[in-house]
């Protein structure tokens, strides 16, 4: 078994492998830094949710469901509370966003399209569906959240007219009451009902076009999350999310995996709000680029190969995307592909002035996670009899314990002066970190999927001590022709990790 010391989690690296030296903090090996990391402190949190609790109709074959939120509407642009009202329509920008989503999904052979009957979603669906011959199916349960007396008000009007109730809607939405109703609780019930209709339909590839809140509820109820996760899994205008449903034996509820969350027409790192609030702190999880196979790499340790040419291109594309942000810190796994990706990001950041991004010198701390070696864990798992890229139970427990400490160290690093921390690693590592962020147990690790070269973005509107808001998971649009298409065939069950 891989031995990992709890007191040795990170090291700090330099673009060049030279000049490695020690620093006082035993958690790190410094390669280049303008600051040191603080020791991870014990964090008293609520108990993690123990396991996903979902019970859906059994399916006979794998099914992929692609969720799309409607494009910008007139009431979105005005800052008006829409709810399930039907008085707003797509703006010119909204039509353009829908066309971008259509191009994104152009090659997909959808069997059916379910859509909200509200005009803004119906028009978005019409644009994306294009000239496909199959009719769209309106589903009243897919309408946006019912907000009753709030609907039609500008946000400042809602605050002035309803006071305490409006504040509860902002700060404690699951328990928010209006006109004798609990809108978020009702929404979760509707979303669960919609899944019955979608899964009972005889189709393998399904498009669903709806709204912000209801798409959040669809994602959450699919993987077993409750109303407390409202506003945690973002859905931007025309953002695309993908869920895979894999049949299980004996007519059991299918295995469900969130393959992608909120792939947006615009860059996910562009300025914007998270759940209606400005996020001043951000962690970006970067999966290393594709690696060579063992024969190409000429290495004896399976799983620790350097990047292939494809991987180098993917990492360069990621580095270019991150130029829109000033990255303070890059923390990397010790694997070769991860370290190569981290160095590419740091070099591009420091060449920002030459590349025309800005004229302010950038300096990046590159730090290495010490002994949290996913590649070695995968190698050990294969020796334990695990198949493909799935960790054995022993290695999964080890990964879980170590990544919990890593997540706390990343939060510590996000404290002043850092505003953006980039963590580079193997997809399995980042899946575990996302699960920790959502305060879930290791039972949820199989509920998420990440591709090599992808990024996932977590915002902290209330700072690193507050709750993380997931802006996107498994975003790959920046890779262009070198990305794994959203519309790739549904995965087999043993490929989820």
């Amino acid at each position: 078994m891989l031995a990992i010391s709890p007191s040795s989690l990170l090291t700090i690296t330099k673009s060049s492998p030279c000049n490695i030296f020690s620093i006082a903090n035993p958690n790190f090996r410094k390669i280049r830094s303008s600051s040191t990391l603080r020791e991870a402190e014990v964090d008293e949190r609520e108990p993690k949710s123990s396991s996903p609790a979902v019970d859906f109709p059994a399916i006979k074959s794998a099914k992929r469901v692609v969720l799309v939120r409607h494009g910008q509407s007139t009431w979105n642009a005005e800052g008006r509370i829409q709810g399930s009202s039907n008085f707003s329509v797509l703006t010119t920008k909204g039509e353009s966003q829908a066309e971008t989503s259509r191009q994104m999904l152009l090659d997909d052979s959808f069997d059916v399209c379910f859509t909200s009957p509200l005009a803004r979603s119906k028009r978005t669906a019409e644009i994306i569906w294009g000239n496909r011959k199959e009719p769209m199916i309106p589903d009243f349960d897919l309408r946006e959240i019912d907000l009753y007396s709030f609907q039609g008000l500008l946000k400042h009007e809602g605050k002035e007219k309803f006071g305490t109730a409006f504040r509860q809607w902002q700060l404690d939405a699951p328990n928010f009451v209006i006109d004798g109703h609990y809108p978020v609780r009702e929404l979760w019930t509707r979303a669960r009902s919609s899944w019955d209709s979608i899964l009972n339909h005889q189709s393998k590839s399904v498009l669903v076009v709806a709204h912000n809140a209801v798409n959040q509820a669809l994602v959450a109820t699919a993987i077993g999350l409750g109303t407390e996760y409202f506003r945690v899994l973002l859905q931007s205008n025309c953002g695309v999310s993908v869920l895979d449903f894999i049949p299980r034996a004996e007519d059991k509820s299918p295995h469900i995996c969130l393959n992608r969350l909120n792939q947006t027409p615009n860059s996910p790192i562009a300025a914007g709000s998270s759940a209606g609030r400005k996020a001043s702190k951000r962690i970006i999880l970067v999966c290393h680029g594709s690696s060579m196979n063992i024969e190409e790499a000429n290495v004896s340790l399976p799983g620790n190969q350097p990047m292939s040419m494809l991987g180098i291109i993917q990492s360069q594309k990621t580095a270019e995307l991150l130029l829109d942000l000033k990255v303070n810190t890059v923390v990397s796994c010790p694997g070769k592909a991860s370290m190569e990706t981290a160095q590419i990001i740091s070099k591009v950041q420091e060449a920002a002035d030459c590349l025309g991004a800005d004229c302010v010198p950038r300096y990046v701390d590159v730090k290495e996670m010490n002994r949290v070696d996913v590649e070695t864990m995968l190698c050990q798992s294969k020796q334990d009899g695990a198949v493909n890229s799935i960790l054995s139970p022993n290695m999964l427990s080890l990964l879980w314990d170590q990544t919990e400490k890593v997540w706390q160290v990343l939060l510590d690093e996000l404290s002043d002066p850092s505003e953006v921390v980039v963590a580079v690693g193997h997809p399995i590592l980042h899946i575990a970190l996302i699960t920790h962020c959502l305060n879930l147990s290791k039972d949820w690790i199989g509920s998420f999927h990440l591709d090599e070269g992808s990024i996932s973005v977590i915002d902290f509107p209330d700072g690193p001590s507050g709750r993380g808001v997931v802006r996107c998971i498994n975003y790959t649009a920046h890779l262009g022709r070198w990305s794994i298409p959203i519309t790739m065939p549904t995965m087999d069950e043993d490929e989820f990790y």
Side-chain angles (χ1 to χ4, degrees):
M1 179 180 292
L2 177 65
I4 299 181
S5 170
S7 63
S8 297
L9 288 175
L10 294 179
T11 62
I12 307 180
T13 76
K14 185 176 181 174
S15 297
S16 166
C18 303
N19 301 323
I20 299 177
F21 58 96
S22 299
I23 58 176
N25 189 333
N27 279 356
F28 313 108
R29 180 176 74 246
K30 178 170 179 176
I31 303 176
R32 184 189 62 196
S33 177
S34 57
S35 64
T36 59
L37 290 178
R38 299 199 310 271
E39 294 265 4
E41 299 175 354
V42 176
D43 184 24
E44 296 296 334
R45 298 177 181 268
E46 294 180 1
K48 292 182 180 290
S49 299
S50 58
S51 62
V54 293
D55 184 19
F56 289 116
I59 56 176
K60 295 181 179 180
S61 59
K63 185 187 293 279
R64 168 160 287 187
V65 179
V66 176
L67 306 177
V68 183
R69 182 190 173 188
H70 64 77
Q72 185 195 61
S73 70
T74 50
W75 280 19
N76 285 152
E78 294 172 13
R80 200 172 292 277
I81 301 171
Q82 296 184 108
S84 57
S85 64
N86 199 21
F87 298 106
S88 65
V89 296
L90 292 189
T91 62
T92 301
K93 180 179 179 179
E95 297 255 348
S96 177
Q97 291 171 330
E99 174 60 25
T100 300
S101 293
R102 186 186 75 83
Q103 294 290 337
M104 195 184 298
L105 302 170
L106 190 61
D107 295 330
D108 200 296
S109 56
F110 290 113
D111 300 317
V112 66
C113 174
F114 287 85
T115 179
S116 161
L118 303 184
R120 55 194 186 271
S121 284
K122 184 178 178 183
R123 176 58 184 152
T124 302
E126 289 171 349
I127 294 172
I128 296 174
W129 200 239
N131 58 5
R132 292 179 174 90
K133 295 180 180 179
E134 297 81 0
M136 298 187 299
I137 301 175
D139 184 346
F140 191 59
D141 280 340
L142 291 175
R143 70 189 185 277
E144 183 57 300
I145 185 172
D146 296 313
L147 291 177
Y148 305 99
S149 294
F150 273 16
Q151 294 179 174
L153 298 176
L154 294 170
K155 293 177 183 178
H156 73 85
E157 293 174 340
K159 184 176 181 180
E160 293 168 0
K161 186 173 182 178
F162 289 94
T164 302
F166 189 81
R167 181 168 177 80
Q168 186 180 38
W169 165 241
Q170 291 179 309
L171 302 179
D172 186 22
N175 296 311
F176 160 64
V177 183
I178 184 74
D179 298 335
H181 295 270
Y182 289 85
V184 176
R185 299 180 191 178
E186 292 176 352
L187 179 68
W188 250 244
T189 299
R190 274 204 279 121
R192 179 61 182 78
S193 176
S194 291
W195 279 126
D196 287 342
S197 300
I198 293 167
L199 294 179
N200 283 324
H201 191 275
Q202 297 302 309
S203 56
K204 293 184 177 181
S205 182
V206 181
L207 175 66
V208 176
V209 184
H211 306 264
N212 178 11
V214 71
N215 281 10
Q216 289 185 53
L218 286 169
V219 171
T221 54
I223 60 177
L225 303 179
T227 55
E228 67 273 19
Y229 285 88
F230 182 60
R231 296 199 184 111
V232 173
L233 305 171
L234 288 194
Q235 298 289 309
S236 304
N237 285 125
C238 277
V240 175
S241 300
V242 180
L243 288 149
D244 285 317
F245 295 77
I246 303 298
R248 285 178 169 162
E250 301 176 357
D251 292 330
K252 293 183 179 179
S253 180
H255 177 83
I256 305 168
C257 178
L258 181 60
N259 182 283
R260 196 176 304 267
L261 178 77
N262 204 28
Q263 177 116 335
T264 55
N266 300 317
S267 167
I269 64 171
S273 63
S274 286
R277 294 171 293 161
K278 183 178 180 181
S280 60
K281 301 287 185 176
R282 176 173 287 178
I283 292 176
I284 299 178
L285 305 178
V286 175
C287 292
H288 64 65
S290 297
S291 55
M292 295 181 183
N293 59 43
I294 297 175
E295 291 75 17
E296 290 177 321
N298 192 25
V299 295
S300 58
L301 177 60
N304 196 25
Q305 302 93 316
M307 281 194 294
S308 63
M309 181 56 68
L310 172 61
I312 292 172
I313 294 173
Q314 290 173 330
S315 297
Q316 289 172 338
K317 289 288 185 180
T318 297
E320 292 171 12
L321 179 74
L322 296 179
L323 270 176
D324 290 337
L325 295 175
K326 185 175 180 180
V327 176
N328 307 102
T329 305
V330 179
V331 179
S332 175
C333 268
K336 292 180 180 179
S338 296
M339 290 302 299
E340 288 173 351
T341 299
Q343 300 298 351
I344 289 173
I345 292 171
S346 67
K347 289 177 180 177
V348 171
Q349 280 285 318
E350 294 183 346
D353 56 340
C354 301
L355 298 172
D358 58 37
C359 59
V360 179
R362 297 186 181 188
Y363 190 85
V364 182
D365 292 348
V366 182
K367 308 177 182 182
E368 180 184 336
M369 300 179 197
N370 188 19
R371 297 190 183 183
V372 185
D373 193 342
V374 174
E375 287 77 9
T376 302
M377 292 181 185
L378 287 170
C379 183
Q380 181 63 52
S381 292
K382 290 180 180 179
Q383 295 176 7
D384 292 345
V387 296
N388 295 334
S389 60
I390 298 179
L391 288 173
S392 64
N394 288 340
M395 289 298 104
L396 180 59
S397 295
L398 186 59
L399 173 74
W400 184 251
D401 292 341
Q402 293 307 314
T403 52
E404 185 169 26
K405 299 179 178 69
V406 169
W407 179 247
Q408 184 57 49
V409 170
L410 291 177
L411 293 178
D412 289 344
E413 178 61 21
L414 199 61
S415 301
D416 289 337
S418 295
E419 293 188 355
V420 178
V421 174
V422 174
V424 182
H426 190 284
I428 294 177
L429 170 74
H430 290 331
I431 289 172
L433 293 177
I434 290 170
T435 309
H436 286 301
C437 172
L438 295 174
N439 201 33
L440 303 173
S441 73
K442 66 182 178 182
D443 297 324
W444 257 275
I445 284 183
S447 298
F448 302 92
H449 170 86
L450 294 177
D451 294 313
E452 291 180 327
S454 69
I455 70 168
S456 301
V457 180
I458 302 169
D459 288 339
F460 294 86
D462 300 315
S465 61
R467 191 175 197 181
V469 175
V470 183
R471 175 170 290 274
C472 66
I473 292 175
N474 202 26
Y475 182 89
T476 58
H478 64 292
L479 302 179
R481 64 183 296 184
W482 294 281
S483 68
I484 295 177
I486 290 177
T487 55
M488 67 179 293
T490 304
M491 298 174 297
D492 294 328
E493 185 172 9
D494 64 356
E495 294 177 336
F496 275 118
Y497 294 148

